[in-house]
Amino acid sequence: MKNQELAKEILKNVGGENNINSLVHCVTRLRFKLLDNSKANKSIIEELEGVISVVESGGQFQVVIGNTVGDVYKEIIKLTNLVNDKKEINNEVKEKTSIGNKALDLISGIFAPVLSILASVSILKGLLAIVVYLNYTSTSSGTYQILHAVEDSALYFMPILIAFTAAKKFGASEFIAITLGSILVYPGIINLFNKNIIINFFGIPFKGIDYSFTFIPIVIAVFILAKLEKFLNKVMNENLKLFFMPLLCLVIMAPLTFIVIGPIATIITKTVGIVYSFIYNLSPVLVGIIVGASWQALVIGGIHWGAMPVIINNLSLYGVDTFMALAISASVGQAGAVLGVLLKTKNKNIRKAAISTIPTGLAGITEPTIYGVTLKYKTPFICATIGGAVGGAIAGYSGSAAIGYLIPGLLTLPVYFGQGFKELVIAVVTSYVLSAILSFITFKDPKVENDTEIYDNGKIEKNIDNNDKLNKRETTKTEIIESPLNGEVKELSQVSDQVFASEALGKGIAIVPSEGKLVSPVEGVVSAVFPTGHAIGIISDNGIEILMHIGFDTVSLNGKHFKLNVTQGEKVKKGDLLVEFDINKIQQEGFDITTPIVITNTNDYSNIKSINHGVVKYNDNILLVKQKLIE
């Protein structure tokens, strides 16, 4: 599915623009703050091509996309007025959230937009440190000075970057906030501060503080700015707002920040740094074990953002941060666990998923690794947790620290160059290898049931020893899914679309239709109907959730050549006509008409098998679905 179409489907299924309070994105996720979460259709979003998973955590509705999240975000912004709108939240529909969730939402909303730039320039910062150490250049050279400006400016002018994102979060004017952030790092003011000169503002003396590299003062200042703007908007004449609104805001907020907000925020900054340093110094090894073991669990819930202010605060206070050195082994451990699965499994679909997710895991983007393999099969995730804990312990012992903000992965290793770097490399390698070994030992391919023999003609013969069956507490309920199409069966792994081929949406088969009619393969209820007609979801009377997707990227036809014959919530019987479509015209438009039929709640069943090959007709048996029951 193209980014534009994916954006449209996500926007529609989160309840539309009017249900969105705010939207930001991090490296892999769209992070919605919705007015009413009940209006979001989580199950449909999870079924969209290009969506890895949906997580509701920290007061946010998080749609995990992967590496293309930035492109999807841009498409959503094009379709909406979310950037410019300052929406008032209706208290009657506003979801009640805990203080913790509100804090996480606030943190991610402010820091997520600047994550990419901070991580990028920090990598350059590490590489520069390495080339200087190896004497390839000197700090006095023009090359170094220009590149140093590139890597240092984003961190130095942190108040300006954070002013922009905080303004969007709090509903203040972005340009007034940016100007306020610029005032805090104005060279003339900083020169006075560096000379320890006591400054008087209308007789009020105060000692200057250097606010470069900081974020807490500007966050507090922009929060108060938003309140001030709201008040002035109510009392000020409309004709005066254009010029006098910015003037009054800046004249009030600048001295207030220097005299009151800044000193208080500085105390908070130092206190946070002291508390973290105290905890870390109690036992770096123990802290490393805890962080290494828990980091990916925090990532799953999206609550790892709670550590971001601490990390950036460490950088602003000390110029280095030790926390992320403890987390890198957790990320690499996930990739190691997938390697163990890859070496052990004989299932070609699992192998395909493993091969595609190892590189992203090593780079520190672990959601595809987690949702595609480790968490899906459970034991690999536990193995990665153990490897991350061991690596974290070694990293804690090394005392290694990052000289910039980063995403914990192999690509960002240069940022750790300095004290303890060699030991950190050992920690990362240990985590990777140990996770791989443990995963290789413990992983077992999904079981193949032996109580049935399945033949190419679709016939099923039972082979159950009655005496054995009587002695078992578990029995197996077997159900048959019939073909919704006339056509030729293909293995799901053979289709061109990698989302379906990797079984990310569930197990099943694909059919290349020879007739443009899709009928119901079961008795049940139509659970999802895409207006474009290209996809239908049905829940059988026994709870099997079936997705039938006619062709690939056919959503972009916007309903052209498709005719829907059912509506969502409609009761259907086997053989009822669901969709009519013109195969020739769809193919003439350049689309692959291959139609996957997948069981989206695959994890609820012990085994799902294809029981027919070659040419099938309507109502031929195509899938065997088995569910274990406790007697």
Side-chain angles (χ1 to χ4, degrees):
M1 184 180 290
K2 296 178 181 178
N3 291 330
Q4 185 180 33
E5 298 301 327
L6 180 58
K8 288 180 180 178
E9 292 298 326
I10 292 174
L11 183 61
K12 178 177 67 176
N13 286 290
V14 296
E17 179 181 354
N18 290 332
N19 193 39
I20 301 173
N21 182 35
S22 65
L23 170 64
V24 296
H25 76 88
C26 56
V27 180
T28 58
R29 307 181 187 206
L30 295 170
R31 295 173 174 270
F32 291 93
K33 183 70 175 178
L34 302 179
L35 295 176
D36 186 357
N37 277 23
S38 67
K39 292 182 179 180
N41 197 325
K42 181 179 178 180
S43 60
I44 289 182
I45 296 175
E46 286 180 322
E47 293 171 358
L48 295 175
E49 298 175 33
V51 174
I52 297 173
S53 181
V54 175
V55 179
E56 293 185 76
S57 179
Q60 296 178 333
F61 189 87
Q62 305 171 12
V63 182
V64 184
I65 302 290
N67 295 336
T68 60
V69 65
D71 297 327
V72 177
Y73 172 82
K74 290 177 183 177
E75 294 297 335
I76 292 177
I77 294 303
K78 290 179 183 177
L79 296 169
T80 64
N81 294 311
L82 292 174
V83 171
N84 297 321
D85 282 356
K86 304 290 190 301
K87 298 184 179 179
E88 292 293 333
I89 301 174
N90 186 335
N91 290 325
E92 295 181 358
V93 299
K94 185 180 178 182
E95 181 184 6
K96 293 182 179 180
T97 55
S98 66
I99 294 176
N101 283 345
K102 289 180 180 178
L104 287 172
D105 175 64
L106 176 64
I107 292 168
S108 61
I110 292 174
F111 289 104
V114 300
L115 171 62
S116 178
I117 187 67
L118 293 180
S120 299
V121 298
S122 294
I123 292 174
L124 178 59
K125 191 179 189 77
L127 292 174
L128 278 180
I130 293 174
V131 297
V132 170
Y133 176 80
L134 296 175
N135 291 321
Y136 288 135
T137 188
S138 67
T139 56
S140 61
S141 69
T143 300
Y144 176 87
Q145 291 299 325
I146 292 174
L147 294 178
H148 176 62
V150 173
E151 54 88 358
D152 202 48
S153 58
L155 294 169
Y156 183 89
F157 293 108
M158 179 77 70
I160 299 176
L161 295 178
I162 297 300
F164 178 73
T165 58
K168 293 179 68 175
K169 190 63 183 174
F170 295 131
S173 166
E174 288 95 339
F175 291 104
I176 296 176
I178 289 172
T179 304
L180 181 59
S182 302
I183 293 169
L184 295 186
V185 290
Y186 181 67
I189 296 291
I190 289 180
N191 287 336
L192 291 175
F193 293 167
N194 289 338
K195 295 176 182 178
N196 291 318
I197 297 175
I198 300 297
I199 302 174
N200 284 280
F201 182 78
F202 287 108
I204 303 173
F206 66 95
K207 186 176 181 180
I209 301 171
D210 188 347
Y211 293 108
S212 57
F213 297 96
T214 66
F215 70 92
I216 293 179
I218 192 63
V219 169
I220 298 174
V222 172
F223 173 76
I224 297 175
L225 171 65
K227 302 296 183 183
L228 176 61
E229 278 191 80
K230 188 175 181 180
F231 170 75
L232 292 176
N233 268 316
K234 291 180 179 179
V235 301
M236 186 176 289
N237 184 286
E238 287 292 332
N239 297 323
L240 300 176
K241 287 182 180 179
L242 179 63
F243 297 106
F244 289 98
M245 172 71 79
L247 176 61
L248 283 174
C249 286
L250 292 173
V251 167
I252 293 171
M253 289 306 304
L256 182 64
T257 303
F258 283 126
I259 298 170
V260 180
I261 297 173
I264 293 174
T266 300
I267 294 173
I268 296 172
T269 298
K270 291 181 177 178
T271 302
V272 171
I274 291 170
V275 170
Y276 170 79
S277 296
F278 174 77
I279 295 172
Y280 178 83
N281 291 326
L282 282 176
S283 177
V285 173
L286 179 59
V287 175
I289 292 173
I290 295 171
V291 174
S294 63
W295 184 250
Q296 291 305 313
L298 298 178
V299 169
I300 291 172
I303 55 178
H304 59 302
W305 284 100
M308 299 302 112
V310 176
I311 295 165
I312 296 178
N313 193 63
N314 288 340
L315 290 170
S316 67
L317 278 178
Y318 312 120
V320 295
D321 167 66
T322 55
F323 187 93
M324 293 306 280
L326 311 178
I328 187 172
S329 294
S331 299
V332 175
Q334 291 291 328
V338 176
L339 175 64
V341 171
L342 176 63
L343 296 175
K344 183 73 171 289
T345 185
K346 295 180 180 179
N347 186 304
K348 58 183 178 182
N349 292 323
I350 297 177
R351 291 180 62 84
K352 184 179 293 185
I355 290 171
S356 66
T357 59
I358 287 176
T360 58
L362 289 172
I365 311 300
T366 54
E367 276 94 340
T369 306
I370 292 171
Y371 294 114
V373 181
T374 60
L375 192 62
K376 183 176 182 179
Y377 299 106
K378 296 180 177 62
T379 53
F381 187 84
I382 296 172
C383 296
T385 298
I386 296 171
V390 174
I394 299 172
Y397 175 79
S398 73
S400 179
I403 57 177
Y405 180 79
L406 47 83
I407 298 168
L410 291 186
L411 293 178
T412 56
L413 271 178
V415 186
Y416 298 98
F417 189 75
Q419 177 186 345
F421 180 71
K422 293 180 181 179
E423 292 82 358
L424 180 64
V425 173
I426 294 172
V428 170
V429 173
T430 300
S431 176
Y432 186 71
V433 174
L434 179 59
S435 299
I437 293 173
L438 292 175
S439 183
F440 180 84
I441 294 171
T442 60
F443 179 76
K444 295 180 180 179
D445 274 327
K447 291 182 179 180
V448 178
E449 299 296 328
N450 58 9
D451 63 341
T452 58
E453 294 293 333
I454 301 170
Y455 297 91
D456 288 347
N457 60 10
K459 293 181 180 179
I460 305 170
E461 293 186 7
K462 297 290 182 181
N463 253 335
I464 302 177
D465 187 316
N466 287 331
N467 291 327
D468 288 343
K469 185 175 180 180
L470 290 172
N471 292 330
K472 292 181 179 179
R473 297 186 63 190
E474 283 188 344
T475 60
T476 301
K477 182 179 180 181
T478 302
E479 297 183 31
I480 301 299
I481 305 297
E482 298 180 355
S483 177
L485 294 162
N486 285 341
E488 185 176 356
V489 173
K490 293 178 65 174
E491 294 291 334
L492 203 56
S493 60
Q494 297 175 343
V495 304
S496 60
D497 188 280
Q498 291 304 306
V499 174
F500 284 101
S502 65
E503 297 185 343
L505 294 177
K507 294 183 178 181
I509 64 166
I511 296 176
V512 181
S514 58
E515 183 179 354
K517 292 182 179 180
L518 180 77
V519 304
S520 177
V522 294
E523 292 189 7
V525 175
V526 177
S527 59
V529 177
F530 287 79
T532 53
H534 76 290
I536 294 283
I538 291 180
I539 300 178
S540 77
D541 288 342
N542 295 313
I544 302 174
E545 298 175 9
I546 305 167
L547 172 66
M548 294 164 284
H549 195 284
I550 304 171
F552 300 123
D553 296 324
T554 47
V555 66
S556 59
L557 290 171
N558 201 28
K560 188 178 178 183
H561 312 314
F562 291 89
K563 179 185 177 183
L564 277 169
N565 291 284
V566 292
T567 58
Q568 187 169 336
E570 184 176 335
K571 177 72 176 177
V572 292
K573 297 179 180 179
K574 288 183 180 180
D576 283 356
L577 183 62
L578 304 176
V579 182
E580 296 175 87
F581 53 100
D582 192 318
I583 294 176
N584 292 330
K585 289 183 179 180
I586 293 172
Q587 290 178 327
Q588 287 172 8
E589 298 263 7
F591 294 95
D592 183 350
I593 200 66
T594 302
T595 301
I597 297 100
V598 298
I599 310 300
T600 56
N601 59 337
T602 288
N603 291 336
D604 293 343
Y605 301 95
S606 59
N607 196 19
I608 298 172
K609 280 188 176 182
S610 170
I611 55 175
N612 217 325
H613 304 281
V615 176
V616 293
K617 296 181 179 179
Y618 297 120
N619 302 326
D620 281 353
N621 297 338
I622 58 171
L623 286 173
L624 173 72
V625 180
K626 298 187 349 181
Q627 183 177 22
K628 286 187 177 180
L629 303 172
I630 304 297
E631 291 185 334

